[in-house]
Amino acid sequence: MTNAALATSSEPIISFEDVNKWYGQYHALRNINLGIGHGEKVVLLGPSGSGKSTLIRCVNRLEEHQAGRIIVDGTELKGDVKAIERIRRDVGMVFQSFNLFPHLTILDNLTLAPRWVKKMPKKEAEDLAMMYLERVRIPEQARKYPAQLSGGQQQRVAIARSLCMKPKIMLFDEPTSALDPEMVKEVLDVMIELAHEGMTMMCVTHEMAFARAVADRAIFMAEGSIIEIDTPDELFSNPKSERTKQFLGQILGH
């Protein structure tokens, strides 16, 4: 697919325009041009070191790009601290590791950002937190500490914590890769529900069944570049690039 065809037809909620990033001499992202539409679900695939995680971490300035433009919901990501704060309020992120505060209860983990960032009253923040713990099906864990929960439960708490900020966009960086196989489904089920409700999502994952179930587009990256973009069904069954074929052959076994 050509770069001209990468942007979605309506005004995108996330735009990457000739984005480049280096770590010293290492060229981590190369001329990325991509538009993510409102409510679109995009899955990023590719080998380790291909730039997938770096790309989504640039969306909320956890990583800083050195060239090109990134525009999130009408705000360009520059060095402007206020712009970065505004974008982070609208962009939730879930990592491989759960990043929960071990000394705080689950409820306190969830209410921290709404109370401090959005200045929400404690009772309102707790009601919101309980609503999202119900949503991810673990309200009974509210008074426990992260170490008392399974990995799958902790990851669902991490998703609920992001939702408490009522984001417009959710970023997932291999959210199931640190989980035992039997815990993967419970996290993916929550993500699938979010997708069906219209949340804009960018997800780095190797869960091909998830990609087929929810993604509007699958993006294959290698060596910092976007190699191929298509619907998941088309990309998996009829990849155009030899590099994509080679990767899928290793992952899917054909």
Side-chain angles (χ1 to χ4, degrees), residues 119-242:
K119 310 300 181 195
M120 193 178 285
K122 182 180 179 183
K123 175 71 166 64
E124 187 181 335
E126 288 183 348
D127 287 347
L128 184 72
M130 288 308 301
M131 181 183 84
Y132 282 117
L133 285 175
E134 290 269 4
R135 176 69 197 288
V136 299
R137 298 187 283 282
I138 45 172
E140 70 285 354
Q141 309 295 346
R143 303 292 174 184
K144 292 184 181 177
Y145 289 86
Q148 296 174 276
L149 274 59
S150 71
Q153 288 172 329
Q154 288 188 60
Q155 193 61 293
R156 283 188 279 165
V157 169
I159 293 172
R161 180 180 57 181
S162 287
L163 292 175
C164 279
M165 291 297 285
K166 298 188 176 175
K168 296 179 181 177
I169 298 161
M170 284 285 281
L171 309 174
F172 295 91
D173 188 3
E174 299 199 33
T176 59
S177 64
L179 300 178
D180 293 333
E182 65 270 19
M183 295 175 184
V184 169
K185 184 180 182 299
E186 63 189 50
V187 173
L188 291 181
D189 283 347
V190 171
M191 292 170 65
I192 288 168
E193 283 180 18
L194 280 179
H196 289 159
E197 287 173 11
M199 176 72 75
T200 303
M201 295 166 66
M202 290 184 74
C203 183
V204 176
T205 185
H206 292 302
E207 299 289 343
M208 298 300 170
F210 170 77
R212 282 185 188 270
V214 307
D216 299 299
R217 289 186 293 169
I219 298 173
F220 175 70
M221 294 183 68
E223 296 171 357
S225 297
I226 291 177
I227 305 298
E228 193 167 341
I229 301 181
D230 219 322
T231 63
D233 282 344
E234 189 64 19
L235 189 80
F236 297 159
S237 60
N238 189 27
K240 310 295 187 290
S241 155
E242 282 303 319

Side-chain angles (χ1 to χ4, degrees), residues 7 45 58-59 76 84 96 116 124 141 151 210 221 243 251:
L45 310 166
C58 283
V59 174
E76 183 171 355
I84 294 169
Q96 293 179 42
W116 288 95
E124 187 181 335
Q141 309 295 346
F210 170 77
M221 294 183 68
R243 186 70 187 84
I251 296 291

Side-chain angles (χ1 to χ4, degrees), residues 29-163:
L29 294 175
R30 301 169 181 264
N31 304 317
I32 300 295
N33 287 283
L34 177 66
I36 309 295
H38 290 260
E40 188 176 17
K41 292 86 185 149
V42 171
V43 169
L44 299 168
L45 310 166
S48 179
S50 59
K52 315 177 297 294
S53 294
T54 302
L55 184 64
I56 68 166
R57 289 170 71 90
C58 283
V59 174
N60 61 357
R61 200 66 163 193
L62 290 177
E63 298 284 358
E64 185 177 345
H65 61 291
Q66 284 95 14
R69 301 173 75 214
I70 299 176
I71 302 162
V72 182
D73 199 24
T75 299
E76 183 171 355
L77 264 175
K78 296 180 178 176
D80 178 358
V81 173
K82 279 196 164 45
I84 294 169
E85 286 177 351
R86 185 160 62 247
I87 285 167
R88 285 182 178 169
R89 277 199 294 269
D90 286 336
V91 178
M93 183 148 191
V94 178
F95 302 87
Q96 293 179 42
S97 53
F98 321 122
N99 290 17
L100 301 174
F101 293 109
H103 63 291
L104 297 180
T105 66
I106 299 308
L107 189 62
D108 288 340
N109 265 281
L110 266 64
T111 57
L112 195 64
R115 290 183 65 194
W116 288 95
V117 178
K118 293 199 167 181
K119 310 300 181 195
M120 193 178 285
K122 182 180 179 183
K123 175 71 166 64
E124 187 181 335
E126 288 183 348
D127 287 347
L128 184 72
M130 288 308 301
M131 181 183 84
Y132 282 117
L133 285 175
E134 290 269 4
R135 176 69 197 288
V136 299
R137 298 187 283 282
I138 45 172
E140 70 285 354
Q141 309 295 346
R143 303 292 174 184
K144 292 184 181 177
Y145 289 86
Q148 296 174 276
L149 274 59
S150 71
Q153 288 172 329
Q154 288 188 60
Q155 193 61 293
R156 283 188 279 165
V157 169
I159 293 172
R161 180 180 57 181
S162 287
L163 292 175

